[in-house]
């Protein structure tokens, strides 16, 4: 906006020499304005305290205006369990041009910029207390003032073999972000025959072999499987155990899978459809 002086009419992007020009700025998703630069001269004091308007006097030559900004950081809150703790991190990646080997450097953060990757390190994991889930939500306010909770996709990081319990998510456009870790106490399952690591050699779906599978699967608790190599079955439920033929029937969604195994496998039913 250009303020009028001497009743002169100013339109578009033109102003007379000596006129007061006011520039109004607003936040973007990733940056907050801190001032303007007019032909290289920085102006960082707003017209009104706490405002986002900045003034300058029109010089005798064309004025080139650049916006000065600072990153718009979104704070991230964490909810930890009794034994598991969270650390938020940013990551820098370097690639060795000779060997094409990647190395990662992590820096602890408490906030992030929208659409940037945030890494979550979980510490305190032991044989007895493991990660049950890492979930994120962010809140938004609708036009009517209603507050909505939105889920954040939090994924396990697999490209850094030095980080066993590392997760990542893309920072949303929100100032209300929370990441929660829940733990599972495995001591209750100690001594039960189905808990342990197993080598599965074939995978079937509806009687048809779907893979030449060589997967190591660990059963950590009742009815939960986690593949440490090969195809994962974290959301499968064991629906039948054929001891004679050493075959498990797994229910994953609406599909039945069949896995044969080597060695011995025991199980204890605790409900009608899970073991």
């Amino acid at each position: 906006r250009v303020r009028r002086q001497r009743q002169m009419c100013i339109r578009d992007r033109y102003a007379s020499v000596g006129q007061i020009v006011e520039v109004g700025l607003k936040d973007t998703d990733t940056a907050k304005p801190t001032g303007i630069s007019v032909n290289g001269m920085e102006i960082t004091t707003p017209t009104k305290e706490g405002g986002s308007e900045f003034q300058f006097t029109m010089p005798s030559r064309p004025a080139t205006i650049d916006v000065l900004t600072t990153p718009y950081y979104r704070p991230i809150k964490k909810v930890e369990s009794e034994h598991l703790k969270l650390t938020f991190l940013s990551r820098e990646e370097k690639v060795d041009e000779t060997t094409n080997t990647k190395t990662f450097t992590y820096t602890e953060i408490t906030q992030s910029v929208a659409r940037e990757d945030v890494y979550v390190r979980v510490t305190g994991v032991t044989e007895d207390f493991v990660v049950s889930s890492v979930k994120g939500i962010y809140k938004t306010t609708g036009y009517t003032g209603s507050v909505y909770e939105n889920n954040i996709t939090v994924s396990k990081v697999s490209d850094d073999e030095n980080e066993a319990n590392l997760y990542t998510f893309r920072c949303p456009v929100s100032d209300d972000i929370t990441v929660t870790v829940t733990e599972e106490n495995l001591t209750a399952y100690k001594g039960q025959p189905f808990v342990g690591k197993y080598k599965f050699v074939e995978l079937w779906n509806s009687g048809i072999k779907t893979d030449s599978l060589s997967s190591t699967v660990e059963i950590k608790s009742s009815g939960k499987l986690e593949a440490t190599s090969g195809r994962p079955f974290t959301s499968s439920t064991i629906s039948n155990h054929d001891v004679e033929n050493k075959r498990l029937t797994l229910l994953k969604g609406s599909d039945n899978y069949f896995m044969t195994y080597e060695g011995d496998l025991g199980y204890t039913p605790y409900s009608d459809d899970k073991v």
Side-chain angles (χ1 to χ4, degrees):
R1 299 192 301 275
V2 180
R3 287 190 174 181
R4 297 181 181 180
Q5 286 188 345
R6 303 178 185 175
Q7 302 300 314
M8 294 181 64
C9 182
I10 306 299
R11 296 178 180 176
D12 301 324
R13 293 180 298 161
Y14 297 91
S16 300
V17 176
Q19 280 196 305
I20 302 299
V21 180
E22 186 174 84
V23 181
L25 304 176
K26 64 180 182 178
D27 298 346
T28 68
D29 290 342
T30 58
K32 285 180 173 289
T34 59
I36 59 176
S37 173
V38 182
N39 294 342
M41 183 184 68
E42 293 187 358
I43 301 171
T44 56
T45 302
T47 306
K48 297 179 181 179
E49 185 176 354
S52 57
E53 291 79 27
F54 300 86
Q55 292 182 353
F56 68 94
T57 302
M58 185 65 189
S60 58
R61 57 192 177 93
T64 299
I65 303 172
D66 296 308
V67 180
L68 307 176
T69 64
T70 187
Y72 188 164
Y73 287 109
R74 316 280 178 161
I76 311 171
K77 295 177 287 187
K78 56 186 176 183
V79 177
E80 301 172 320
S81 66
E82 181 181 358
H83 298 91
L84 306 184
K85 306 304 175 185
L86 299 177
T87 305
F88 300 125
L89 308 161
S90 62
R91 186 172 86 169
E92 290 187 8
E93 176 183 315
K94 291 185 179 180
V95 180
D96 189 309
E97 296 181 356
T98 304
T99 62
N100 203 34
T101 303
K102 293 182 180 179
T103 57
F104 303 105
T105 301
Y106 297 93
T107 303
E108 186 172 348
I109 59 174
T110 57
Q111 55 190 3
S112 184
V113 176
R115 302 182 186 88
E116 288 191 355
D117 290 330
V118 178
Y119 292 84
V120 186
R121 179 185 288 143
V122 183
T123 55
V125 177
T126 65
E127 291 184 357
D128 293 335
F129 300 98
V130 299
V131 176
S132 176
S133 67
V134 179
K135 297 181 179 180
I137 62 168
Y138 67 95
K139 295 181 180 180
T140 55
T141 304
Y143 293 110
T144 61
S146 300
V147 178
Y148 301 94
E149 281 194 356
N150 308 274
N151 292 324
I152 300 172
T153 301
V154 182
S155 306
K156 187 81 178 286
V157 173
S158 59
D159 60 352
D160 189 349
E161 59 184 13
N162 296 317
E163 291 281 351
N165 296 287
L166 190 67
Y167 299 78
T168 186
F169 67 93
R170 185 65 57 89
C171 182
V173 183
S174 174
D175 291 329
D176 197 344
I177 306 167
T178 302
V179 177
T180 302
V181 60
T182 56
E183 66 182 46
E184 183 173 10
N185 182 352
L186 300 184
T187 57
Y189 305 106
K190 280 190 172 181
Q192 300 212 37
F194 55 82
V195 175
K197 292 185 178 181
Y198 302 90
K199 180 76 170 182
F200 294 97
V201 294
E202 291 179 335
L203 174 66
W204 301 77
N205 184 6
S206 302
I208 301 173
K209 190 173 182 179
T210 60
D211 244 339
S212 176
L213 186 71
S214 178
S215 176
T216 301
V217 178
E218 182 174 3
I219 301 180
K220 292 183 175 180
S221 64
S222 188
K224 292 183 65 175
L225 289 88
E226 179 178 335
T228 54
S229 66
R231 184 177 296 199
F233 286 92
T234 54
S235 58
S236 297
T237 300
I238 306 170
S239 59
N240 185 58
H241 179 196
D242 185 346
V243 180
E244 183 178 357
N245 296 308
K246 294 188 174 182
R247 190 174 81 161
L248 290 176
T249 303
L250 304 179
L251 180 64
K252 185 176 177 69
S254 59
D255 294 326
N256 279 317
Y257 289 85
F258 306 95
M259 299 182 74
T260 57
Y261 60 91
E262 298 172 346
D264 296 324
L265 179 66
Y267 71 100
T268 301
Y270 72 95
S271 70
D272 293 337
D273 59 346
K274 296 180 181 180
V275 301

